[in-house]
Amino acid sequence: MKRFTRIMTLIGALVLSIGMVAAQGGFNDKSPEANTNPVTSEALFDLQFQYPCGVGGGEAGIECDGSFFYTTKWNGTDVFYKYQLDGTYLNEFTVPGTGGIRDLAFDGTYMYGSEATNTVREMDFTGGTLISSFSAPTAVRAIAWNEDDQVFYANNWSTNIIPFNKSGVQQRTSWTPGPIGASYYGFAYDNYSSGAPYLWGYAQTGSTNNELVQMQLPGGAETGVYFDVGSIIPPTTGIAGGLCIDNAFVSGYYTLAGNMQNDFLWGLELCEDGGGPGALYFND
């Protein structure tokens, strides 16, 4: 009888543990402010690709260097994952001294990201080395690089979005996210589509916690363009992760690409690769 009681106690503890993991969203890095309030979205984008995450278990950020694309492990130590542009998973690698990086940005030479602290890491993914670290004027989760003005845009969930340079000095005025954008995980700088420049944010808000929000630069006001990625890629459990823009994924196009945490790596047609601002806008 005592043995039966012990077995039932163990089973109860296991069920409780599983329930706690499910309630916490498993391996997703979820904002405490995330909500599922519906957002009126537009049918703007054509889906270019949808690849399953190669590893999961904490795969969150994303960035492309023109030859490969990479994801981060937010709950790991110095861990990153490498993919071919067709979505083929290649390998895991480490960059010692970087911790659990969230979103990524690329300046044409090095990758940048943070562990959701004020310390930004400058990283060489080819050599697997940490180049330098510098202090930012905000805790950095979502991050994007503006190659035209040589500034980063960054914030942590719903804090003010702050432009700053590679010395960590704030440039221009920051702005408060909203009215729709909140709980951001990824940013991407867009100087390619009509009406640019824009900052795109991938937010844990909207019906599936996978909402794209377009902001006009330099002021940062939302343009009213919103899109629920979950409306065309139904998530299993995945929520908004990292975001990037590159013309390497699909020939002739700029792609807005993101990581639906631990579920899918996706790409949406942003515009034709027509040579800068004024290019053909969304394929609606």
Side-chain angles (χ1 to χ4, degrees):
M1 183 67 180
K2 291 181 178 179
R3 183 179 180 184
F4 175 78
T5 301
R6 285 197 298 271
I7 291 173
M8 293 305 293
T9 300
L10 288 171
I11 291 174
L14 178 61
V15 170
L16 177 61
S17 176
I18 292 173
M20 289 176 65
V21 170
Q24 294 168 0
F27 293 106
N28 288 333
D29 192 9
K30 188 170 185 177
S31 168
E33 305 163 348
N35 68 74
T36 54
N37 297 330
V39 177
T40 301
S41 299
E42 301 180 44
L44 296 174
F45 298 101
D46 284 343
L47 181 65
Q48 291 181 327
F49 61 81
Q50 174 185 341
Y51 306 135
C53 288
V55 180
E59 225 171 328
I62 190 171
E63 188 56 79
C64 180
D65 67 359
S67 299
F68 303 95
F69 70 91
Y70 305 88
T71 63
T72 67
K73 185 176 178 66
W74 74 269
N75 56 354
T77 302
D78 311 334
V79 176
F80 302 88
Y81 305 111
K82 184 177 182 179
Y83 292 80
Q84 290 181 344
L85 294 175
D86 64 1
T88 302
Y89 172 71
L90 295 175
N91 59 273
E92 174 186 314
F93 66 97
T94 60
V95 180
T98 58
I101 299 296
R102 271 59 169 188
D103 190 24
L104 288 168
F106 182 60
D107 71 351
T109 303
Y110 296 122
M111 294 284 179
Y112 298 81
S114 175
E115 307 97 303
T117 69
N118 286 69
T119 301
V120 177
R121 310 295 186 181
E122 180 182 22
M123 301 165 285
D124 177 3
F125 277 8
T126 301
T129 56
L130 176 63
I131 302 301
S132 70
S133 300
F134 65 90
S135 295
T138 179
V140 175
R141 182 178 305 273
I143 185 170
W145 172 247
N146 173 343
E147 64 269 21
D148 296 310
D149 298 331
Q150 300 286 293
V151 296
F152 295 100
Y153 301 99
N155 87 328
N156 184 30
W157 296 131
S158 301
T159 62
N160 281 4
I161 299 170
I162 301 179
F164 57 90
N165 63 20
K166 289 183 180 179
S167 297
V169 178
Q170 181 171 338
Q171 310 291 300
R172 308 196 195 95
T173 305
S174 65
W175 69 88
T176 303
I180 298 299
S183 299
Y184 283 117
Y185 207 99
F187 287 150
Y189 173 68
D190 171 12
N191 194 25
Y192 314 108
S193 52
S194 179
Y198 300 113
L199 182 67
W200 289 91
Y202 194 15
Q204 292 179 9
T205 189
S207 299
T208 68
N209 281 173
N210 281 278
E211 199 74 28
L212 289 174
V213 179
Q214 186 190 63
M215 292 164 274
Q216 185 77 61
L217 295 175
E222 292 181 5
T223 66
V225 174
Y226 312 108
F227 184 76
D228 180 9
V229 179
S231 68
I232 58 173
I233 308 174
T236 302
T237 58
I239 56 179
L243 194 67
C244 69
I245 293 174
D246 208 286
N247 62 351
F249 292 103
V250 178
S251 178
Y253 293 92
Y254 277 97
T255 298
L256 184 60
N259 187 341
M260 185 181 286
Q261 292 189 37
N262 305 301
D263 266 6
F264 299 108
L265 309 170
W266 53 261
L268 303 177
E269 180 186 318
L270 178 64
C271 63
E272 289 186 357
D273 184 1
L280 180 65
Y281 200 38
F282 314 109
N283 186 350
D284 187 356

